[in-house]
Amino acid sequence: CAAATLAVAALLSMATMGFAQVTAKVAAGAPPWTKGILAINSENYWHAVECGKKGGTNPACVFWDTDMCKNPEFTLVMYTPYKQVAYTVWQAVSQKKEAPTPSYQGAQKQRIVIGITPLHASQNPITTVNVKRGGKTVPPATQQVVSGGGSFFFDYATFAATAPVTIEMVGKTTTVTCAIDKANLSRMR
């Protein structure tokens, strides 16, 4: 009976606070990638350099997360070592400069970061971001919440392309979840 009462209370709380669910769509991009987010290594480092050399205004191999979890409350941006390397090269190439060789050691030190910007900061500032994986909630290893938005740092295992995950963006008044299946996780870089 106590469990049923808690379940009803949770449902009422979600209805009162607001709840939205979306499904992730990760851009495929070229050169293709199917291994998901990994710690930087010699293979994905040079793959990221080649990605950045593609140039263009919004190459999907660099900006694979554009509108990934599009919803009416929050903008989500992912920062990964691959993206750091690819973006550094892309930025130089886009300015008609020679492609640099980004810091391999710097990329090795980076974690996965989810950046959240609320679309209605005064009404629904972000409070935290969690990732649900295999029936368990994975909180960020660390987080920085500033001016209604924030940066949420996760370890690589959280986003391994071996099982679906759900990103839970918890705002003051509305929570948005974004389901990411294995196929979309494998395209994340």
Side-chain angles (χ1 to χ4, degrees):
C1 188
T5 303
L6 286 173
V8 170
L11 286 172
L12 288 173
S13 173
M14 284 171 49
T16 303
M17 287 183 55
F19 183 80
Q21 188 169 10
V22 297
T23 302
K25 295 177 188 102
V26 177
W33 184 256
T34 60
K35 298 180 182 185
I37 298 173
L38 303 170
I40 207 74
N41 59 45
S42 60
E43 179 188 11
N44 64 3
Y45 175 84
W46 291 110
H47 196 274
V49 169
E50 288 307 309
C51 161
K53 288 180 180 179
K54 296 287 181 199
T57 57
N58 191 22
C61 67
V62 179
F63 301 105
W64 51 265
D65 57 338
T66 301
D67 292 336
M68 180 177 85
C69 293
K70 191 169 185 164
N71 68 82
E73 294 296 325
F74 303 106
T75 299
L76 177 146
V77 178
M78 302 278 296
Y79 301 98
T80 66
Y82 184 107
K83 190 173 187 180
Q84 174 187 329
V85 170
Y87 180 81
T88 300
V89 174
W90 171 80
Q91 191 173 36
V93 169
S94 295
Q95 297 170 359
K96 309 270 189 259
K97 296 179 182 174
E98 185 175 330
T101 303
S103 170
Y104 185 85
Q105 292 78 17
Q108 284 181 313
K109 295 176 184 176
Q110 187 174 339
R111 283 184 159 158
I112 298 168
V113 181
I114 297 177
I116 300 289
T117 303
L119 298 176
H120 315 285
S122 64
Q123 300 164 349
N124 193 32
I126 193 76
T127 60
T128 194
V129 171
N130 294 305
V131 176
K132 295 190 176 191
R133 180 183 183 86
K136 296 181 180 173
T137 299
V138 180
T142 186
Q143 67 182 38
Q144 299 168 343
V145 178
V146 181
S147 301
S151 298
F152 303 86
F153 300 79
F154 292 89
D155 294 319
Y156 295 99
T158 307
F159 288 93
T162 55
V165 300
T166 300
I167 298 174
E168 183 180 60
M169 298 166 268
V170 182
K172 183 177 179 184
T173 60
T174 302
T175 295
V176 176
T177 62
C178 179
I180 310 172
D181 63 18
K182 286 172 51 173
N184 278 289
L185 278 173
S186 72
R187 286 193 296 272
M188 294 169 75
R189 303 166 187 237

